[in-house]
Amino acid sequence: MLRALTRRSSSSSNASTSLLFRLFPRSFFSRSSPATARNIRRLSAAGTTGRELFLRRDLRLLSAAASGQFSRAVSTQTAPSYPAAVLMNENVGKDEAERLGFEKFREEFISECKSKAVLFRHKKTGCEVMSVSNDDENKVFGVVFRTPPKDSTGIPHIMEHSVLCGSRKYPLKEPFVELLKGSLHTFLNAFTYPDRTCYPVASTNTKDFYNLVDVYLDAVFFPKCVDDVHTFQQEGWHYELNHPSEDISYKGVVFNEMKGVYSQPDNILGRITQQALCPENTYGVDSGGDPKDIPKLAFDKFKEFHRQFYHPSNARIWFYGDDDPVHRLRVLSEYLDMFDASPARDSSKVEPQKLFSGHRRIVEKYPAGGDGDLKKKHMVCLNWLLSEKPLDLQTQLALGFLDHLMLGTPASPLRKILLESGLGEALVNSGVEDELLQPQFSVGLKGVSDDQVQKVEELIMSTLRKLADEGFDTDAVEASMNTIEFSMRENNTGSSPRGLSLMLQSIGKWIYDMDPFEPLKYEEPLKTLKARIAEEGSKAVFSPLIEKFILNNPHRVTIEMRPDPEKASQEEAEEKNALQKVKASMTDEDLAELARATEELRLKQETPDSPEALKCVPSLNLSDIPKEPTYIPSEVGDINGVKVLRHDLFTNDILYTEVVFDMGSLRHELLPLVPLFCQSLLEMGTQDLSFVQLNQLIGRKTGGITVYPFTSSVWGSDVPCSKIIVRGKSMVGRAEDLFNLMNCVLQEVRFTDKQRFKQFVSQSRARMENRLRGSGQGIAAARMDAMLNAAGWMSEQMNGLSYLEYLHTLEQKVDQDWEGISSSLEEIRTSLLSKNGCIVNMTADGKSLTSTEKVVGKFLDSLPEKASGGQVTWDARLPLRNEAIVIPTQVNYVGKAGNIYSSGYKLDGSSYVISKHIGNTWLWDRVRVSGGAYGGFCDFDSHSGVFSFLSYRDPNLLKTLDIYDGTGDFLRGLDVDEDTLTKAVIGTIGDVDSYQLPDAKGYSSLLRHFLNVTDEERQIRREEILSTSLKDFKEFAEAVDSVRDKGVAVAVASQEDIDAANKERSNFFKVKKAL
């Protein structure tokens, strides 16, 4: 996964882009996932409980992160409390460290994460090791190398993919995939940044954790790829020629991944920004690889890169969790002692970019569709390199607060003024970026008219000038302070391990030979900053920062991106022309040899490892797996006639709550308005409060409020589950404020601000267009679901291509019939708000839950007794047909799906094991490895019965559909031994038992309640998983055949590839042009 400087997306509402507040990097490239979704092998929307629900791993939750409709990104987890006595016993004595070849040269207790951190140095190689000890069972390991590239051939990115394709101790094709299949990992991936490469793993099971550690250590230090050109060709690039009479093409996983990246305008802007700001150092090239340059990379250079940089002397190693710190050093010494010191640490240093003496301007083009008014599709972004030297923590913290004040919420002045100006549709590439050596700041707009570009620049500069002169509103400063401090103390890392978040924060300084402890310790700098604001006033703190780092900073680059409907086809033509020249230069013997080499590579890719080779990868036994699922404490009660679910869990004095309303009374035609209704609740004002005041009040009093729709099929029922969920959190002592503000949002907000609503529509359209380009597999999946079941149709109306089409129409309608739209928004409210059918879900410790009952009762009593309108029947579908959605792209997203319940399949837990195995073997090998796509995967929605196949950044179309159709034959011909079957079962249990923090546990329990998933049924499915046999695989082939025979295909692809497909298979696709 390549880490790129794309900053926040146009729809982001992150609390801050600063590394100090951001717990994970926003976008980077990895071995198994796109920047927009941590793991493309799973389709869960951000915010779902995913695999934890057990009966389905990708419920349609239009969460804040997924749909961008809501007022702020809400962190959702609490900091663990670790007994200090335990930590103080986790010592590694000096003599013990010396015996293992390490010197201990720094040790601190980090109160912010209740951990003891010890920094060791390996005496022989100089490798530094950070050993962080606490009682967090979710253990994390990571090894990080500084890997600055000199060109844009993508060598660090290709290396990151390749080292995990077999090693000295594990000489099979892809140990990484074997770990995906059969471990209990809570994190397993790798990242390539512009200047470093990270290899992190995590697990709650100690035996499994050290299995992962050993595979990764052997992979990075002793990979097979440096002696195997086939791996380089597979993961990087190669010429492919099936027959001497055919055309030559480029293939390679990274090559096609980057073609997808370079098809997205926001990503293109991010790369141009980084390279324009730092043209003289390593950031002036693309570590991920430019598709035009990747074919220039030679194998010898690839090998030398590993020799130069993948050495312990150039490594930083991280351990975190409740495992034995002595054992950590013991494991490391076995590897590190095999090396001598290397000059790699010196040769890999990143030199700073010297500041410019004056402003620069760049104009570039991006690929655009031919539809719409292209004169209104420009992007303009102003970018600053803030300092020639890294900033001290106090300044960095203050800049992070400043960033949040200016851009972090819809009420933030710079963001608000830009969006309300009417000069553009949405923010792009905006915020502070401080994960690299020198911090940067950018702010820009997309959807700008060609004659308004200069006005955008002037507005940005004049607004910054005004903010420097006048400062910020006191309530805004208080809201930002509370929001950021709440987030830092709560330590939100989503579904990913906290230890990984800390590692990435620490490495942001450590990798540049600075203090790795400093980023982990925010209490003192935060205390100092708050004291300065209290004593001097916020203007004295923030205005000098705006003056120094932005207004008076000559290192500014303005980038204008112009739409070009011909660019995509021109680039394809240039690539074809280059390949034709290559073929023309070859003799008949050369062509025959290339065809032979192509077949040789394909044969190697499609030949499975022997059972003997597979046994070398360490794995758990079934005896290591609990026979029962994890149970969440849950009590169903009643407050004033409303059902209340209570989850007695330690949450560090934070109350997490969801208030849920049924959508059963909503008229069909209002459904596409629901996401905008949700946004309006949080971003329009009341009679007494402007939306800015309301937003600030939420920020000052709570940890955040979000509102979003949720839909899913329900197993055994024809009636879909459709809800509106209001999520909020606060300190327990602020529970009354939280519920009062929820009531204000739900009942007092007025739908009267036409201009703001127009902004919402424009922002939503821009976001959906960006999603279509960057996450086409999600659009294809939603489209197929909408053809196959009612819940899918509902979801697609609110977050799919139908929604995008609706937004295009709505933009015109706002001016023509605002009164009607406003009335429709009010009708949605009256159709939803009701005590009847309402559910309240609360997660906190028992005492806190009891203390909030009166507050909850008061809130519920304020709700209407009944909703307006009668119950509506939801049974709509899109027409069942093969569909191709045309966008300007260099890669495709290919899907096929069918309802296997309709063909007679009866749900069994073995289906989870089988679908996971299909994805990790057949689809991985055929779609990704030999097909060259970045990803190929399948998903079984056991609630609806829909079994779907999907590919991501795929150079193929019909070929991929043929692979899907061959799945049944693959299963029938399968011959798996007991070890392989055991791995598949264990890997599935790892999905089901994924690590959860308290708020996620409470939320999972709520969704199970909606979907009638009982603990008894979870136990039955678990037993079926554990007893899965080869016979189950063979029998499932018939179910998969029904997808082949009766399923529907949807592709998001280029016009050229769709035309070729329809020519090869006459009118196979019904074509829809989207962009």
Side-chain angles (χ1 to χ4, degrees), residues 56 58-62 663 668 671-672 709-714 717-722 768 771 778-803 874-880 883 897 899 939 941 943-946 948 1011 1048 1050:
R56 184 184 180 195
D58 68 315
L59 292 164
R60 299 176 191 83
L61 172 60
L62 303 183
M663 289 171 61
H668 285 205
L671 194 60
F710 168 92
T711 63
S712 174
S713 297
V714 179
S717 172
D718 293 329
V719 180
C721 173
S722 57
M768 287 301 301
R771 181 169 174 245
I779 297 294
R783 199 76 179 165
M784 294 185 297
D785 257 2
M787 298 176 189
L788 294 167
N789 61 80
W793 179 84
M794 294 180 72
S795 179
E796 207 269 344
Q797 292 291 310
M798 295 184 288
N799 201 36
L801 183 61
S802 295
Y803 182 52
W874 296 99
D875 57 1
R877 308 281 195 284
L878 289 179
L880 196 65
E883 201 168 69
N899 191 318
D939 178 72
D941 173 0
H943 296 291
S944 67
V946 173
S948 55
L1011 303 176
V1048 61
V1050 174

Side-chain angles (χ1 to χ4, degrees), residues 1002-1017:
Y1003 191 66
S1004 295
S1005 184
L1006 171 68
L1007 298 192
R1008 289 189 185 118
H1009 181 82
F1010 289 162
L1011 303 176
N1012 302 325
V1013 180
T1014 65
D1015 285 340
E1016 291 76 18
E1017 185 174 351

